PDB file of all heavy atoms in Angstrom:
ATOM      1  N   GLU A1015      -1.589  21.018  -4.728  1.00  0.00           N
ATOM      2  CA  GLU A1015      -1.960  21.717  -5.964  1.00  0.00           C
ATOM      3  C   GLU A1015      -2.152  23.209  -5.651  1.00  0.00           C
ATOM      4  O   GLU A1015      -2.997  23.552  -4.826  1.00  0.00           O
ATOM      5  CB  GLU A1015      -3.263  21.082  -6.495  1.00  0.00           C
ATOM      6  CG  GLU A1015      -4.105  21.927  -7.426  1.00  0.00           C
ATOM      7  CD  GLU A1015      -3.426  22.288  -8.732  1.00  0.00           C
ATOM      8  OE1 GLU A1015      -2.858  21.401  -9.372  1.00  0.00           O
ATOM      9  OE2 GLU A1015      -3.457  23.478  -9.088  1.00  0.00           O
ATOM     10  N   SER A1017      -1.684  25.620  -8.603  1.00  0.00           N
ATOM     11  CA  SER A1017      -1.316  26.231  -9.887  1.00  0.00           C
ATOM     12  C   SER A1017      -2.131  27.459 -10.250  1.00  0.00           C
ATOM     13  O   SER A1017      -1.717  28.269 -11.062  1.00  0.00           O
ATOM     14  CB  SER A1017      -1.427  25.195 -11.010  1.00  0.00           C
ATOM     15  OG  SER A1017      -2.782  24.856 -11.209  1.00  0.00           O
ATOM     16  N   CYS A1018      -3.319  27.599  -9.635  1.00  0.00           N
ATOM     17  CA  CYS A1018      -4.166  28.747  -9.994  1.00  0.00           C
ATOM     18  C   CYS A1018      -4.790  29.335  -8.725  1.00  0.00           C
ATOM     19  O   CYS A1018      -4.067  29.874  -7.892  1.00  0.00           O
ATOM     20  CB  CYS A1018      -5.193  28.312 -11.023  1.00  0.00           C
ATOM     21  SG  CYS A1018      -6.066  29.686 -11.771  1.00  0.00           S
ATOM     22  N   HIS A1119      -0.031  19.375 -14.458  1.00  0.00           N
ATOM     23  CA  HIS A1119      -1.431  19.657 -14.113  1.00  0.00           C
ATOM     24  C   HIS A1119      -2.395  19.215 -15.234  1.00  0.00           C
ATOM     25  O   HIS A1119      -3.498  18.719 -14.960  1.00  0.00           O
ATOM     26  CB  HIS A1119      -1.542  21.170 -13.875  1.00  0.00           C
ATOM     27  CG  HIS A1119      -2.883  21.660 -13.500  1.00  0.00           C
ATOM     28  ND1 HIS A1119      -3.352  21.633 -12.206  1.00  0.00           N
ATOM     29  CD2 HIS A1119      -3.882  22.222 -14.230  1.00  0.00           C
ATOM     30  CE1 HIS A1119      -4.569  22.157 -12.174  1.00  0.00           C
ATOM     31  NE2 HIS A1119      -4.920  22.512 -13.384  1.00  0.00           N
ATOM     32  N   HIS A1123      -5.404  16.460 -14.794  1.00  0.00           N
ATOM     33  CA  HIS A1123      -6.833  16.643 -15.086  1.00  0.00           C
ATOM     34  C   HIS A1123      -7.388  15.389 -15.788  1.00  0.00           C
ATOM     35  O   HIS A1123      -8.480  14.924 -15.478  1.00  0.00           O
ATOM     36  CB  HIS A1123      -7.053  17.868 -15.982  1.00  0.00           C
ATOM     37  CG  HIS A1123      -7.348  19.128 -15.206  1.00  0.00           C
ATOM     38  ND1 HIS A1123      -8.413  19.225 -14.348  1.00  0.00           N
ATOM     39  CD2 HIS A1123      -6.728  20.324 -15.160  1.00  0.00           C
ATOM     40  CE1 HIS A1123      -8.444  20.441 -13.804  1.00  0.00           C
ATOM     41  NE2 HIS A1123      -7.418  21.133 -14.277  1.00  0.00           N
ATOM     42  N   SER A1150     -10.387  24.040 -19.500  1.00  0.00           N
ATOM     43  CA  SER A1150     -10.336  24.718 -18.200  1.00  0.00           C
ATOM     44  C   SER A1150     -10.168  26.208 -18.414  1.00  0.00           C
ATOM     45  O   SER A1150     -10.279  26.707 -19.540  1.00  0.00           O
ATOM     46  CB  SER A1150      -9.187  24.137 -17.379  1.00  0.00           C
ATOM     47  OG  SER A1150      -7.966  24.550 -17.917  1.00  0.00           O
ATOM     48  N   GLY A1151      -9.867  26.903 -17.309  1.00  0.00           N
ATOM     49  CA  GLY A1151      -9.671  28.348 -17.416  1.00  0.00           C
ATOM     50  C   GLY A1151      -8.359  28.678 -18.100  1.00  0.00           C
ATOM     51  O   GLY A1151      -8.210  29.725 -18.727  1.00  0.00           O
ATOM     52  N   GLY A1152      -7.400  27.780 -17.982  1.00  0.00           N
ATOM     53  CA  GLY A1152      -6.074  28.035 -18.546  1.00  0.00           C
ATOM     54  C   GLY A1152      -5.799  27.284 -19.844  1.00  0.00           C
ATOM     55  O   GLY A1152      -4.891  27.642 -20.592  1.00  0.00           O
ATOM     56  N   HIS A1153      -6.573  26.222 -20.115  1.00  0.00           N
ATOM     57  CA  HIS A1153      -6.259  25.379 -21.273  1.00  0.00           C
ATOM     58  C   HIS A1153      -7.499  24.930 -22.017  1.00  0.00           C
ATOM     59  O   HIS A1153      -8.558  24.758 -21.420  1.00  0.00           O
ATOM     60  CB  HIS A1153      -5.530  24.098 -20.834  1.00  0.00           C
ATOM     61  CG  HIS A1153      -4.314  24.400 -20.053  1.00  0.00           C
ATOM     62  ND1 HIS A1153      -3.155  24.769 -20.641  1.00  0.00           N
ATOM     63  CD2 HIS A1153      -4.116  24.437 -18.720  1.00  0.00           C
ATOM     64  CE1 HIS A1153      -2.265  25.024 -19.705  1.00  0.00           C
ATOM     65  NE2 HIS A1153      -2.825  24.835 -18.528  1.00  0.00           N
ATOM     66  N   GLY A1293     -11.357  18.942 -16.775  1.00  0.00           N
ATOM     67  CA  GLY A1293     -11.073  20.365 -16.598  1.00  0.00           C
ATOM     68  C   GLY A1293     -12.332  21.077 -16.123  1.00  0.00           C
ATOM     69  O   GLY A1293     -13.443  20.535 -16.239  1.00  0.00           O
ATOM     70  N   GLY A1294     -12.192  22.268 -15.589  1.00  0.00           N
ATOM     71  CA  GLY A1294     -13.319  22.987 -14.965  1.00  0.00           C
ATOM     72  C   GLY A1294     -14.546  23.125 -15.841  1.00  0.00           C
ATOM     73  O   GLY A1294     -15.682  22.982 -15.361  1.00  0.00           O
ATOM     74  N   CYS A1323     -13.305  17.762 -11.665  1.00  0.00           N
ATOM     75  CA  CYS A1323     -13.172  18.599 -12.874  1.00  0.00           C
ATOM     76  C   CYS A1323     -12.376  19.857 -12.542  1.00  0.00           C
ATOM     77  O   CYS A1323     -11.390  20.172 -13.196  1.00  0.00           O
ATOM     78  CB  CYS A1323     -14.547  18.990 -13.410  1.00  0.00           C
ATOM     79  SG  CYS A1323     -15.366  17.679 -14.323  1.00  0.00           S
ATOM     80  N   THR A1324     -12.831  20.589 -11.536  1.00  0.00           N
ATOM     81  CA  THR A1324     -12.106  21.807 -11.157  1.00  0.00           C
ATOM     82  C   THR A1324     -10.854  21.395 -10.379  1.00  0.00           C
ATOM     83  O   THR A1324     -10.712  20.237  -9.967  1.00  0.00           O
ATOM     84  CB  THR A1324     -13.004  22.742 -10.316  1.00  0.00           C
ATOM     85  OG1 THR A1324     -13.652  21.958  -9.337  1.00  0.00           O
ATOM     86  CG2 THR A1324     -14.047  23.447 -11.164  1.00  0.00           C
ATOM     87  N   ASP A1325      -9.967  22.358 -10.167  1.00  0.00           N
ATOM     88  CA  ASP A1325      -8.656  22.021  -9.617  1.00  0.00           C
ATOM     89  C   ASP A1325      -8.746  21.341  -8.252  1.00  0.00           C
ATOM     90  O   ASP A1325      -9.493  21.767  -7.378  1.00  0.00           O
ATOM     91  CB  ASP A1325      -7.794  23.290  -9.525  1.00  0.00           C
ATOM     92  CG  ASP A1325      -7.376  23.754 -10.907  1.00  0.00           C
ATOM     93  OD1 ASP A1325      -7.547  22.979 -11.865  1.00  0.00           O
ATOM     94  OD2 ASP A1325      -6.875  24.884 -11.017  1.00  0.00           O
ATOM     95  N   ASN A1326      -7.964  20.285  -8.110  1.00  0.00           N
ATOM     96  CA  ASN A1326      -7.936  19.505  -6.867  1.00  0.00           C
ATOM     97  C   ASN A1326      -6.594  18.785  -6.799  1.00  0.00           C
ATOM     98  O   ASN A1326      -5.860  18.736  -7.783  1.00  0.00           O
ATOM     99  CB  ASN A1326      -9.103  18.501  -6.871  1.00  0.00           C
ATOM    100  CG  ASN A1326      -8.947  17.464  -7.962  1.00  0.00           C
ATOM    101  OD1 ASN A1326      -8.313  16.431  -7.757  1.00  0.00           O
ATOM    102  ND2 ASN A1326      -9.462  17.732  -9.151  1.00  0.00           N
ATOM    103  N   MET A1329      -6.258  14.367  -8.023  1.00  0.00           N
ATOM    104  CA  MET A1329      -5.780  13.985  -9.365  1.00  0.00           C
ATOM    105  C   MET A1329      -4.248  14.017  -9.424  1.00  0.00           C
ATOM    106  O   MET A1329      -3.638  13.257 -10.179  1.00  0.00           O
ATOM    107  CB  MET A1329      -6.410  14.898 -10.441  1.00  0.00           C
ATOM    108  CG  MET A1329      -6.018  16.371 -10.350  1.00  0.00           C
ATOM    109  SD  MET A1329      -6.964  17.374 -11.537  1.00  0.00           S
ATOM    110  CE  MET A1329      -6.061  18.937 -11.446  1.00  0.00           C
TER     111      MET A1329
HETATM  112 ZN1   ZN B 317      -6.925  23.045 -13.834  1.00  0.00          ZN
END
Side-chain angles (χ1 to χ4, degrees):
E1015 158 63 48
S1017 68
C1018 191
H1119 181 84
H1123 267 302
S1150 71
H1153 304 280
C1323 282
T1324 46
D1325 289 347
N1326 65 88
M1329 64 187 191

